Amino acid sequence: MTEGNHDVPPLSFLKEIAMEAGIVMRAYFPEPGRMKPDMKPDNTPVTEVDRRISELVRGYVSKKYPYIGILCEEGGYGERKRIEFIVDPLDGTAGFARGDASAVFAVAVAVDGEIVHSVIYNPLTCTKPRMFSASKDVGAFINNHRMSVSQVLGTSVRPSVGIATWPNCRVGGILKIADELQRREICIVGVTSISLTSALVAAGSLVGVIMPGQHLHDAAPGDLLVQEAGGMTTDLRGNPLRYDGEEVDGFVFSNGRFHNFFLEVVQKHYP
């Protein structure tokens, strides 16, 4: 794929970087309690693994695609470009430091603010690593097998939704959202990795995820996965998500059937 005079990296390049990031994650994966994260100014944790993977990504991208912008959670977003890598080098840092295997590497490629490729890689599971991937208009896959969102229509089977809190979010509003959803027969699932939770919506394990955070790297990798798996994605107000600005207004990802319901509850308690 070419945009202007510049090639857009193929999905295989994202997978290659993800595999290398997975090697770092496995090498550092601790016994519970052995790794103590530092705290950043926004009160979120960071470890040496976050930093090493961030350096790895910057090295790979700048060497092969020097014209691409890199928006990485660690090290800042840098100069904005038409084609951008949006990266969370270690999503689920706090859990990773405790020995939680749900941490992932997450990356997306945006062209003019729209996601065209994404990969979320979970290398630490005790059975088999999970590589979630998607390309625009091609579909969404887990370990090269096509995946799709849940077909659940109602609450007779207690559908599950992930709800994330954030250091700067209005926790009271989030708790009210969770309370109303539970009263309306929705099961609430805690979130340790927002990207993995988004991937599980695409895979059909959850019917949705609600996230009040504003960072591009939290939303971008899961956005295309959910869309290509047949779901719906918007910000908290129901607007389409774009990635050429500085932030997003939170996000709601769903299987589509619950989307308007989730937006109604969110806007009632998180105006």
Side-chain angles (χ1 to χ4, degrees), residues 39-52:
M39 299 306 292
K40 296 185 290 188
D42 66 356
N43 203 33
T44 59
V46 62
T47 67
E48 181 63 19
V49 179
D50 297 79
R51 299 185 184 101
R52 284 184 176 270

Side-chain angles (χ1 to χ4, degrees), residues 42 44 73 88 91-92 161-170 174 177 181 189 191-195 197-198 201 208-220 234-237 241 248-254 259 262-263 266 270:
D42 66 356
T44 59
E73 179 178 13
D88 192 336
D91 186 37
V161 60
I163 297 184
T165 57
W166 194 253
N168 299 319
C169 75
R170 302 190 300 277
I174 296 297
I177 291 170
L181 291 177
V189 176
V191 172
T192 56
S193 163
I194 189 62
S195 290
T197 305
S198 300
V201 175
V209 59
I210 298 170
M211 170 62 169
Q214 298 175 315
H215 295 310
L216 304 183
H217 58 259
D218 287 322
T234 66
D235 68 15
L236 297 181
R237 313 302 153 204
L241 289 157
V248 294
D249 186 10
F251 60 85
V252 176
F253 297 165
S254 79
H259 205 84
F262 290 154
L263 288 176
V266 167
Y270 207 86

Side-chain angles (χ1 to χ4, degrees), residues 15-217:
K15 290 182 176 182
E16 180 182 345
I17 295 177
M19 295 294 287
E20 292 296 322
I23 292 172
V24 177
M25 291 170 69
R26 284 191 291 268
Y28 279 81
F29 190 53
E31 296 290 332
R34 278 182 54 194
M35 180 178 289
K36 182 175 176 58
D38 300 320
M39 299 306 292
K40 296 185 290 188
D42 66 356
N43 203 33
T44 59
V46 62
T47 67
E48 181 63 19
V49 179
D50 297 79
R51 299 185 184 101
R52 284 184 176 270
I53 296 176
S54 176
E55 292 171 3
L56 181 153
V57 172
R58 292 179 187 279
Y60 261 75
V61 176
S62 62
K63 182 177 180 179
K64 192 163 186 179
Y65 300 98
Y67 49 85
I68 288 180
I70 302 175
L71 282 58
C72 188
E73 179 178 13
E74 312 310 333
Y77 279 8
E79 182 182 357
R80 303 301 299 269
K81 303 286 185 67
R82 286 192 63 240
I83 306 174
E84 296 179 318
F85 255 61
I86 306 175
V87 187
D88 192 336
L90 181 64
D91 186 37
T93 297
F96 180 88
R98 296 192 300 267
D100 185 338
S102 65
V104 302
F105 169 79
V107 59
V109 172
V111 178
D112 291 329
E114 296 187 7
I115 307 301
V116 297
H117 299 306
S118 67
V119 165
I120 295 172
Y121 184 45
N122 175 219
L124 302 171
T125 53
C126 60
T127 52
K128 183 179 182 180
R130 293 180 289 183
M131 178 82 75
F132 302 89
S133 63
S135 292
K136 188 172 177 58
D137 300 325
V138 174
F141 301 84
I142 176 171
N143 295 342
N144 296 318
H145 298 286
R146 187 177 290 273
M147 61 182 181
S148 61
V149 296
S150 167
Q151 301 303 306
V152 171
L153 296 173
T155 59
S156 60
V157 294
R158 291 281 290 180
S160 298
V161 60
I163 297 184
T165 57
W166 194 253
N168 299 319
C169 75
R170 302 190 300 277
V171 176
I174 296 297
L175 293 176
K176 289 179 180 178
I177 291 170
D179 181 63
E180 177 161 346
L181 291 177
Q182 286 181 312
R183 286 189 284 105
R184 297 172 75 165
E185 302 301 320
I186 304 290
C187 181
I188 305 301
V189 176
V191 172
T192 56
S193 163
I194 189 62
S195 290
L196 180 59
T197 305
S198 300
L200 293 177
V201 175
S205 300
L206 304 173
V207 298
V209 59
I210 298 170
M211 170 62 169
Q214 298 175 315
H215 295 310
L216 304 183
H217 58 259

